Amino acid sequence: MRYLEAVQCKIKELKNKDRIRILAIETSCDESAAAVIENGRKIISSCVYSQIDLHALYGGVVPEIASRSHIQKTDLMVEEAVRNSGMRFADLDAVAVTYGPGLVGSLLTGVSCAKALAYMLDLPLIPVNHIEGHICSNYLTWPELEPPFLCLVVSGGHSHILSVDDYGKYTLIGRTQDDAAGEAFDKAARVLDLPYPGGPRLDELAETGDPHAIQLPKPHTDGKYDFSFSGLKTAFINAVHQRKQKNEAINKADFAASFRETVVSILSEKTCEAAGEKNITKIAVAGGVSANKRLRNTLHEVCRKRGWKLYVPSLSLCGDNAAMIGSAAYYRLRSGTIADLTLNAVPSLSLFDNMLDNAENQSIILPVK
Ligand code: KG4
Ligand code: ZN
């Protein structure tokens, strides 16, 4: 009770403050990250510890190893982010954390850390959706970007086309029916025996290959703007296995380039068709796959031809980081979404449900404005 009263006072104070500085924490998968962000747009400090080396041996993220590593590293990242910001803990205005979607054990470590800090410092606790964070990485890269715009979100677990109607307001236009784009890249990379994480390696290898060497299908989907990568992945795996069975040499670069070309053309064609139909001329890309060279170049070219403006996050903000969570948190704070100390992790959190309608999120409260 004392904590909530202190938070209400703090929120009143923040209404008259020009510079709001939020400490954000991200631990949804295999990166432990912390950052201090000013007014949702300026990175004061950002620290990321990547667990890639721990999981490489297993060819993918091992959830228990991920949780154990977060427990060891998250507080170090927090300490470093605050130190690098030149601020004291007492100067912070709020604490933000990713509470879903993601691996439950990983999410819980960040949520616990954020709660402890918020309680200790009497600061508002802002719950952030990881996917919303990815979208907001564009606000950190492009100071002039404001809603409305169309966004292609492509990560290891999600592929969506959506419209950002306002800060924190999204309309789903299309989504994957099966695998996410990043997952498809990772699986194709594994078939080519590329080391984990496969997506960036396949992208690199594809640079030297012929994108038209292997014919791959573009799967049909029920929804016009939905994606399906599972059939494409199977066709790719079969093509590799057939060559192997016949003892034919496999030109890995050609396979990588053909796969990348097919995925990128599906993503860019559907995104542009949706933008055209909805009359939206500002297009953003977000999520780990937004680092893909071919995707960035193709969309740049298409948008240039049509006179549309393309926004892609700077490469350092494409993968998981806490800076994007701090940006999303600023807009959540402005609209009055904060959590109490019963906040829990929600591994399958959706971007499109109303946060307050979600039974698992009873802890999210709206303070008096
Ligand atoms: O957003 P992210 O860092 O984590 C999730 O929220 O899932 O995305 C990670 C995904 C992985 O599947 C990774 O292979 C893929 O993004 N990825 C790429 C590239 N860089 C990362 N896929 C294709 N080309 C890349 N350059
Ligand atoms: Zn992510």
Side-chain angles (χ1 to χ4, degrees), residues 130 134 155 320:
H130 180 78
H134 274 301
S155 72
D320 290 347

Side-chain angles (χ1 to χ4, degrees), residues 24-260:
I25 298 171
E26 154 64 42
T27 62
S28 66
C29 189
D30 59 346
E31 263 92 23
S32 312
V36 177
I37 300 302
E38 184 175 298
N39 290 354
R41 295 282 178 160
K42 184 172 166 197
I43 302 175
I44 310 284
S45 64
S46 177
C47 302
V48 181
Y49 171 79
S50 169
Q51 302 176 359
I52 282 180
D53 292 347
L54 298 180
H55 301 291
L57 188 64
Y58 306 94
V61 178
V62 181
E64 185 180 332
I65 293 176
S67 310
R68 288 175 180 277
S69 174
H70 284 309
I71 282 286
Q72 289 179 314
K73 300 292 183 196
T74 307
D75 50 350
L76 297 180
M77 290 299 106
V78 166
E79 210 171 73
E80 200 176 315
V82 174
R83 191 173 52 241
N84 292 352
S85 74
M87 293 167 62
R88 298 167 305 159
F89 278 94
D91 301 327
L92 295 166
D93 295 307
V95 178
V97 66
T98 306
Y99 74 112
L103 299 170
V104 68
S106 290
L107 289 165
L108 284 171
T109 60
V111 168
S112 305
C113 180
K115 278 191 203 181
L117 285 164
Y119 183 64
M120 184 180 78
L121 300 165
D122 280 337
L123 292 179
L125 175 65
I126 310 169
V128 176
N129 180 307
H130 180 78
I131 302 300
E132 180 166 44
H134 274 301
I135 295 167
C136 294
S137 62
N138 282 293
Y139 296 143
L140 297 167
T141 310
W142 302 95
E144 76 278 19
L145 176 63
E146 303 221 23
F149 58 91
L150 188 105
C151 190
L152 169 69
V153 183
V154 269
S155 72
H158 298 84
S159 298
H160 295 313
I161 298 176
L162 51 86
S163 62
V164 180
D165 306 320
D166 199 346
Y167 291 107
K169 293 208 166 38
Y170 307 98
T171 305
L172 179 65
I173 295 172
R175 71 187 327 157
T176 183
Q177 295 174 349
D178 39 59
D179 294 353
E183 196 180 349
F185 271 116
D186 292 340
K187 286 179 180 163
R190 197 186 282 214
V191 178
L192 295 179
D193 300 320
L194 301 179
Y196 167 85
R201 311 279 181 135
L202 186 144
D203 190 19
E204 205 55 57
L205 182 62
E207 290 292 296
T208 57
D210 171 6
H212 306 292
I214 318 293
Q215 287 305 310
L216 293 167
K218 283 190 186 172
H220 171 79
T221 51
D222 295 338
K224 198 166 155 195
Y225 301 120
D226 287 343
F227 304 115
S228 168
F229 295 114
S230 151
L232 168 63
K233 176 193 68 191
T234 308
F236 182 79
I237 294 172
N238 288 344
V240 174
H241 285 169
Q242 276 164 13
R243 300 273 196 303
K244 279 188 180 165
Q245 272 165 1
K246 289 187 204 157
N247 275 331
E248 285 176 20
I250 294 171
N251 183 327
K252 288 190 185 181
D254 281 354
F255 270 84
S258 302
F259 186 80
R260 180 177 74 164

Side-chain angles (χ1 to χ4, degrees), residues 152 154 264 267 285 289-290 292-299:
L152 169 69
V154 269
V264 165
L267 293 174
V285 192
V289 182
S290 62
N292 188 274
K293 288 193 195 71
R294 185 76 189 133
L295 180 63
R296 290 167 88 99
N297 290 341
T298 304
L299 284 172

